[in-house]
mmCIF file with all atom_site columns, all heavy atoms in Angstrom:
data_model
loop_
_atom_site.group_PDB
_atom_site.id
_atom_site.type_symbol
_atom_site.label_atom_id
_atom_site.label_alt_id
_atom_site.label_comp_id
_atom_site.label_asym_id
_atom_site.label_entity_id
_atom_site.label_seq_id
_atom_site.pdbx_PDB_ins_code
_atom_site.Cartn_x
_atom_site.Cartn_y
_atom_site.Cartn_z
_atom_site.occupancy
_atom_site.B_iso_or_equiv
_atom_site.pdbx_formal_charge
_atom_site.auth_seq_id
_atom_site.auth_comp_id
_atom_site.auth_asym_id
_atom_site.auth_atom_id
_atom_site.pdbx_PDB_model_num
ATOM 1  N N   . ASN A 1 220 ? 25.345 -1.560 -34.382 1.00 98.00 ? 220 ASN A N   1
ATOM 2  C CA  . ASN A 1 220 ? 25.814 -1.459 -32.983 1.00 98.00 ? 220 ASN A CA  1
ATOM 3  C C   . ASN A 1 220 ? 24.701 -1.724 -31.966 1.00 98.00 ? 220 ASN A C   1
ATOM 4  O O   . ASN A 1 220 ? 24.528 -0.982 -30.998 1.00 98.00 ? 220 ASN A O   1
ATOM 5  C CB  . ASN A 1 220 ? 26.430 -0.084 -32.712 1.00 98.00 ? 220 ASN A CB  1
ATOM 6  C CG  . ASN A 1 220 ? 27.675 0.135  -33.544 1.00 98.00 ? 220 ASN A CG  1
ATOM 7  O OD1 . ASN A 1 220 ? 28.462 -0.799 -33.755 1.00 98.00 ? 220 ASN A OD1 1
ATOM 8  N ND2 . ASN A 1 220 ? 27.852 1.330  -34.047 1.00 98.00 ? 220 ASN A ND2 1
ATOM 9  N N   . VAL A 1 221 ? 23.964 -2.813 -32.179 1.00 98.00 ? 221 VAL A N   1
ATOM 10 C CA  . VAL A 1 221 ? 22.815 -3.130 -31.321 1.00 98.00 ? 221 VAL A CA  1
ATOM 11 C C   . VAL A 1 221 ? 23.284 -3.488 -29.905 1.00 98.00 ? 221 VAL A C   1
ATOM 12 O O   . VAL A 1 221 ? 22.916 -2.830 -28.928 1.00 98.00 ? 221 VAL A O   1
ATOM 13 C CB  . VAL A 1 221 ? 21.977 -4.286 -31.927 1.00 98.00 ? 221 VAL A CB  1
ATOM 14 C CG1 . VAL A 1 221 ? 20.790 -4.611 -31.035 1.00 98.00 ? 221 VAL A CG1 1
ATOM 15 C CG2 . VAL A 1 221 ? 21.519 -3.946 -33.344 1.00 98.00 ? 221 VAL A CG2 1
ATOM 16 N N   . VAL A 1 222 ? 24.122 -4.525 -29.797 1.00 98.00 ? 222 VAL A N   1
ATOM 17 C CA  . VAL A 1 222 ? 24.545 -4.977 -28.466 1.00 98.00 ? 222 VAL A CA  1
ATOM 18 C C   . VAL A 1 222 ? 25.424 -3.916 -27.797 1.00 98.00 ? 222 VAL A C   1
ATOM 19 O O   . VAL A 1 222 ? 25.365 -3.729 -26.572 1.00 98.00 ? 222 VAL A O   1
ATOM 20 C CB  . VAL A 1 222 ? 25.253 -6.345 -28.553 1.00 98.00 ? 222 VAL A CB  1
ATOM 21 C CG1 . VAL A 1 222 ? 25.684 -6.817 -27.171 1.00 98.00 ? 222 VAL A CG1 1
ATOM 22 C CG2 . VAL A 1 222 ? 24.314 -7.391 -29.164 1.00 98.00 ? 222 VAL A CG2 1
ATOM 23 N N   . GLU A 1 223 ? 26.202 -3.188 -28.603 1.00 98.00 ? 223 GLU A N   1
ATOM 24 C CA  . GLU A 1 223 ? 27.022 -2.095 -28.056 1.00 98.00 ? 223 GLU A CA  1
ATOM 25 C C   . GLU A 1 223 ? 26.131 -1.059 -27.358 1.00 98.00 ? 223 GLU A C   1
ATOM 26 O O   . GLU A 1 223 ? 26.467 -0.538 -26.290 1.00 98.00 ? 223 GLU A O   1
ATOM 27 C CB  . GLU A 1 223 ? 27.833 -1.408 -29.168 1.00 98.00 ? 223 GLU A CB  1
ATOM 28 C CG  . GLU A 1 223 ? 28.972 -2.236 -29.743 1.00 98.00 ? 223 GLU A CG  1
ATOM 29 C CD  . GLU A 1 223 ? 28.533 -3.273 -30.780 1.00 98.00 ? 223 GLU A CD  1
ATOM 30 O OE1 . GLU A 1 223 ? 27.305 -3.418 -31.028 1.00 98.00 ? 223 GLU A OE1 1
ATOM 31 O OE2 . GLU A 1 223 ? 29.418 -3.948 -31.343 1.00 98.00 ? 223 GLU A OE2 1
ATOM 32 N N   . ALA A 1 224 ? 24.971 -0.778 -27.973 1.00 98.00 ? 224 ALA A N   1
ATOM 33 C CA  . ALA A 1 224 ? 24.032 0.184  -27.363 1.00 98.00 ? 224 ALA A CA  1
ATOM 34 C C   . ALA A 1 224 ? 23.462 -0.378 -26.061 1.00 98.00 ? 224 ALA A C   1
ATOM 35 O O   . ALA A 1 224 ? 23.353 0.340  -25.066 1.00 98.00 ? 224 ALA A O   1
ATOM 36 C CB  . ALA A 1 224 ? 22.909 0.511  -28.340 1.00 98.00 ? 224 ALA A CB  1
ATOM 37 N N   . TYR A 1 225 ? 23.114 -1.673 -26.058 1.00 98.00 ? 225 TYR A N   1
ATOM 38 C CA  . TYR A 1 225 ? 22.577 -2.290 -24.826 1.00 98.00 ? 225 TYR A CA  1
ATOM 39 C C   . TYR A 1 225 ? 23.625 -2.194 -23.703 1.00 98.00 ? 225 TYR A C   1
ATOM 40 O O   . TYR A 1 225 ? 23.298 -1.934 -22.551 1.00 98.00 ? 225 TYR A O   1
ATOM 41 C CB  . TYR A 1 225 ? 22.240 -3.772 -25.041 1.00 98.00 ? 225 TYR A CB  1
ATOM 42 C CG  . TYR A 1 225 ? 21.058 -4.095 -25.943 1.00 98.00 ? 225 TYR A CG  1
ATOM 43 C CD1 . TYR A 1 225 ? 20.535 -3.181 -26.845 1.00 98.00 ? 225 TYR A CD1 1
ATOM 44 C CD2 . TYR A 1 225 ? 20.468 -5.354 -25.890 1.00 98.00 ? 225 TYR A CD2 1
ATOM 45 C CE1 . TYR A 1 225 ? 19.460 -3.510 -27.668 1.00 98.00 ? 225 TYR A CE1 1
ATOM 46 C CE2 . TYR A 1 225 ? 19.395 -5.693 -26.700 1.00 98.00 ? 225 TYR A CE2 1
ATOM 47 C CZ  . TYR A 1 225 ? 18.896 -4.767 -27.598 1.00 98.00 ? 225 TYR A CZ  1
ATOM 48 O OH  . TYR A 1 225 ? 17.828 -5.110 -28.398 1.00 98.00 ? 225 TYR A OH  1
ATOM 49 N N   . GLU A 1 226 ? 24.892 -2.441 -24.081 1.00 98.00 ? 226 GLU A N   1
ATOM 50 C CA  . GLU A 1 226 ? 25.958 -2.388 -23.069 1.00 98.00 ? 226 GLU A CA  1
ATOM 51 C C   . GLU A 1 226 ? 26.162 -0.960 -22.577 1.00 98.00 ? 226 GLU A C   1
ATOM 52 O O   . GLU A 1 226 ? 26.452 -0.739 -21.397 1.00 98.00 ? 226 GLU A O   1
ATOM 53 C CB  . GLU A 1 226 ? 27.253 -2.967 -23.644 1.00 98.00 ? 226 GLU A CB  1
ATOM 54 C CG  . GLU A 1 226 ? 27.150 -4.481 -23.799 1.00 98.00 ? 226 GLU A CG  1
ATOM 55 C CD  . GLU A 1 226 ? 28.464 -5.127 -24.218 1.00 98.00 ? 226 GLU A CD  1
ATOM 56 O OE1 . GLU A 1 226 ? 29.248 -5.502 -23.343 1.00 98.00 ? 226 GLU A OE1 1
ATOM 57 O OE2 . GLU A 1 226 ? 28.674 -5.247 -25.444 1.00 98.00 ? 226 GLU A OE2 1
ATOM 58 N N   . GLU A 1 227 ? 25.980 0.009  -23.471 1.00 98.00 ? 227 GLU A N   1
ATOM 59 C CA  . GLU A 1 227 ? 26.107 1.411  -23.053 1.00 98.00 ? 227 GLU A CA  1
ATOM 60 C C   . GLU A 1 227 ? 25.012 1.748  -22.031 1.00 98.00 ? 227 GLU A C   1
ATOM 61 O O   . GLU A 1 227 ? 25.280 2.389  -21.015 1.00 98.00 ? 227 GLU A O   1
ATOM 62 C CB  . GLU A 1 227 ? 26.001 2.346  -24.267 1.00 98.00 ? 227 GLU A CB  1
ATOM 63 C CG  . GLU A 1 227 ? 26.171 3.798  -23.848 1.00 98.00 ? 227 GLU A CG  1
ATOM 64 C CD  . GLU A 1 227 ? 26.002 4.805  -24.973 1.00 98.00 ? 227 GLU A CD  1
ATOM 65 O OE1 . GLU A 1 227 ? 26.241 4.452  -26.155 1.00 98.00 ? 227 GLU A OE1 1
ATOM 66 O OE2 . GLU A 1 227 ? 25.637 5.952  -24.646 1.00 98.00 ? 227 GLU A OE2 1
#
Side-chain angles (χ1 to χ4, degrees):
N220 296 322
V221 180
V222 180
E223 289 80 356
Y225 291 19
E226 288 187 90
E227 182 183 334

